[in-house]
Amino acid sequence: MAKAQNKTKQGLSASIKEEVEIIEGPLKEPRKFSIAWIIQAALISLVILLIASGYSILNAIGNDPLKARSLPYELEANRGVSYVVHDLLDDKYPPFIISLWVQLNADDYRGIQRGFYVIDGKISIKDLLDKMKRGEVYVEDPQTLPIAEGMQFELILKRMMARGDLQNDLIVLKDVPAFIQKTLESKELIEAIGGVHDSLEGLLLPATYPYYKDNTASDIIAYALKDMAQYMLTSWPSKDDGLELKDPYEALILASLVERESAIAEEMPQIASVFYNRLKKGMRLQTDPAVMYGVSPLFRGPLRASQLKKDTPYNTYTRAGLPPTPIAMPSKNAIDAVLHPANSKAIFFVAKSHDPKDGHVFSDTLDEHNRSVAVYKKRVREYLKETKNSK
């Protein structure tokens, strides 16, 4: 009986122990992290950090102000977004980051336009590319070349060659007829200057012509030639009736004589009238500027008696009619004077004094002219005497 009770107690203790073990379960050991897991977590964190940093850099590339430049930035032809961004930012950001930015943004800036652009220290690369896409170029202040009234073509070329900032391509002028045809293009404009000629003397309209970095010497000559053709295109058809002119070229020849005789616009129609009156009477023009041109286009005198007697195609003392070409670049005033001369009978004129600003005296007869010449000589003598005494 006692043994049975002990067995029962032992069985009950074993049962209770099993139930307790079932309820509490086995004791767990602390979790251990593997080295591989730690490395993986670190790499993920690094990638996240790099992505965040890269995004920050990409944002900075597009929006940070560019370093100010003292001169406008030039975008040349056939240069795209990649070139501009690398050119301006390579010293500030890693090239591979710049290339990534370009890949992400290039489509937004297709068709950027060549030209000069201002970088003022406030504009970003995005702002700059937007301007380039819209073509908001900086317009530089041009250099200028004046072609003065009465200037000869040889002097114009000489002054062009003295410009260090003007490209010399004057070799194209070796064939002047071809240059005229190429420049004017249309038959209408070529006829406006009386056809194609072997010389450009008298065919360039006096004005101050602007030019830029890419311009050449022949560009300026072409502009002036076109301006003259355009002016003659509208002016020649409105000329007065009965003029002793065969074509627009003869008008330019006569206008160049008028230009060289006087710089006073108000008396140019009177000088033109004198020349017309002499041509009608079969008289020689006897104009010194033409004789001087025959000696040399840049000859400034005074003329000697031997030079007045020496026959050249431009000596209007030895030959009748007009010279073969203009002798200088006539102004609009001189051209207008020839196309609309004064109504007078004068066939002579002489300077009033030593000063060209005083103008001329016009005479209908030789006797009147001789008296005017005497007055002129007296005034010159007095001027020279006063000048000598004042020293």
Side-chain angles (χ1 to χ4, degrees), residues 10-73:
Q10 291 175 356
L12 180 61
S13 295
S15 175
I16 292 171
K17 185 178 180 181
E18 289 176 359
E19 288 179 4
V20 170
E21 288 180 351
I22 291 171
I23 292 171
E24 292 183 353
L27 294 176
K28 295 183 178 179
E29 294 182 3
R31 178 176 293 177
K32 295 181 180 179
F33 294 100
S34 67
I35 295 177
W37 190 93
I38 293 173
I39 293 174
Q40 185 178 17
L43 289 174
I44 292 172
S45 299
L46 180 61
V47 169
I48 293 173
L49 181 63
L50 288 175
I51 291 174
S53 177
Y55 178 81
S56 177
I57 294 175
L58 288 173
N59 186 61
I61 288 176
N63 297 296
D64 282 357
L66 296 169
K67 184 178 179 181
R69 291 184 168 222
S70 57
L71 296 176
Y73 178 76

Side-chain angles (χ1 to χ4, degrees), residues 59-179:
N59 186 61
I61 288 176
N63 297 296
D64 282 357
L66 296 169
K67 184 178 179 181
R69 291 184 168 222
S70 57
L71 296 176
Y73 178 76
E74 182 182 7
L75 176 60
E76 299 176 347
N78 301 318
R79 300 291 194 185
V81 175
S82 180
Y83 174 84
V84 173
V85 180
H86 278 282
D87 189 36
L88 293 174
L89 299 177
D90 260 352
D91 61 343
K92 192 173 181 181
Y93 300 100
F96 75 92
I97 291 289
I98 297 175
S99 296
L100 178 59
W101 189 93
V102 170
Q103 290 179 16
L104 294 173
N105 295 274
D107 287 343
D108 294 334
Y109 301 107
R110 292 191 182 278
I112 57 176
Q113 301 178 42
R114 62 169 296 192
F116 290 87
Y117 296 88
V118 174
I119 299 179
D120 57 5
K122 300 177 182 179
I123 191 173
S124 69
I125 195 70
K126 277 187 174 182
D127 297 332
L128 179 62
L129 291 171
D130 281 332
K131 284 185 174 242
M132 289 178 169
K133 187 175 181 179
R134 294 192 297 267
E136 294 179 8
V137 298
Y138 164 76
V139 180
E140 61 178 314
D141 292 332
Q143 299 296 322
T144 58
L145 180 79
I147 296 179
E149 295 88 347
M151 188 180 285
Q152 287 86 7
F153 185 63
E154 187 172 322
L155 181 57
I156 294 170
L157 295 183
K158 186 175 180 180
R159 293 190 176 181
M160 281 183 168
M161 293 307 94
R163 297 291 183 101
D165 56 353
L166 190 58
Q167 298 179 42
N168 181 356
D169 67 339
L170 294 176
I171 191 172
V172 301
L173 300 183
K174 284 190 173 183
D175 189 346
V176 172
F179 179 80

